[in-house]
Amino acid sequence: MLQPRRIAARAAASRIAEENGWRVGEEVGYLIRFERRVGPKTRLIVETEGVLNRQLVDDPFLEASARSSSTSSTSGACHTDLALALLREVRATVREDLIVVVMSATLDAGPVARFLGDCPVIQAGGRVFPVEIAYRRRRGRRRPRQSPGRWNRR
């Protein structure tokens, strides 16, 4: 499973482990730059796009990987676009068993589906929750003083 940032990869692995009663580094793990928390029992790996791109350079057919790759996509991210293009190429040429899943709350699914060979699009309806913004005055806080005169020259 791909995440765009290192902290997101760690957080996703921790959340998945917590919800399933697993331990990070055991059934679920993560691969990020300079840190690796996976083991022989790891079934799900959360990694950054940069790590996946490096894996594709080192192991172009993803022979060390299982059957699926899940991408949380944001439009215009260079690493994401490259990873998706490389995964499409691997799937089309040598790994027909590779399943590529692209998920996004904001991405227009049509162009991505066409890019991946007119794959099916599944939409999951969400709920909108009202947001109320309230401001409160902080106690003991004054307005910031103006800078010394020498900084206020015009």
Side-chain angles (χ1 to χ4, degrees):
M1 185 170 110
L2 298 182
Q3 288 294 320
R5 303 276 185 264
R6 290 183 274 181
I7 194 161
R10 273 193 227 113
S14 295
R15 180 65 184 245
I16 292 167
E18 179 183 318
E19 287 186 5
N20 289 287
W22 297 343
R23 294 181 55 188
V24 175
E26 295 290 325
E27 297 88 353
V28 63
Y30 62 85
L31 294 174
I32 60 176
R33 190 173 172 198
F34 305 127
E35 194 173 348
R36 176 184 185 96
R37 294 271 314 263
V38 294
K41 296 187 331 185
T42 302
R43 298 169 33 192
L44 175 65
I45 298 174
V46 183
E47 62 189 345
T48 60
E49 289 111 346
V51 169
L52 175 64
N53 289 334
R54 186 71 224 170
Q55 285 178 335
L56 285 164
V57 168
D58 293 340
D59 179 13
F61 303 143
L62 294 174
E63 293 172 313
S65 298
R67 293 179 22 115
S68 68
S69 179
S70 171
T71 305
S72 177
S73 187
T74 55
S75 59
C78 181
H79 282 299
T80 305
D81 293 347
L82 180 59
L84 197 55
L86 292 171
L87 287 170
R88 180 183 82 158
E89 184 70 20
V90 168
R91 186 173 190 278
T93 57
V94 293
R95 288 286 308 271
E96 291 181 10
D97 65 324
L98 185 67
I99 299 169
V100 178
V101 179
V102 179
M103 298 176 286
S104 177
T106 59
L107 191 68
D108 182 10
V112 176
R114 284 190 296 280
F115 178 75
L116 293 174
D118 291 320
C119 66
V121 174
I122 300 171
Q123 292 186 353
R127 292 179 284 176
V128 177
F129 295 95
V131 175
E132 181 180 322
I133 299 173
Y135 298 95
R136 65 182 175 101
R137 185 177 178 96
R138 293 185 184 186
R139 292 184 200 169
R141 289 275 184 150
R142 292 199 224 176
R143 289 184 165 178
R145 287 193 233 159
Q146 286 196 344
S147 311
R150 65 176 185 243
W151 301 108
N152 287 333
R153 291 186 187 147
R154 293 181 191 206

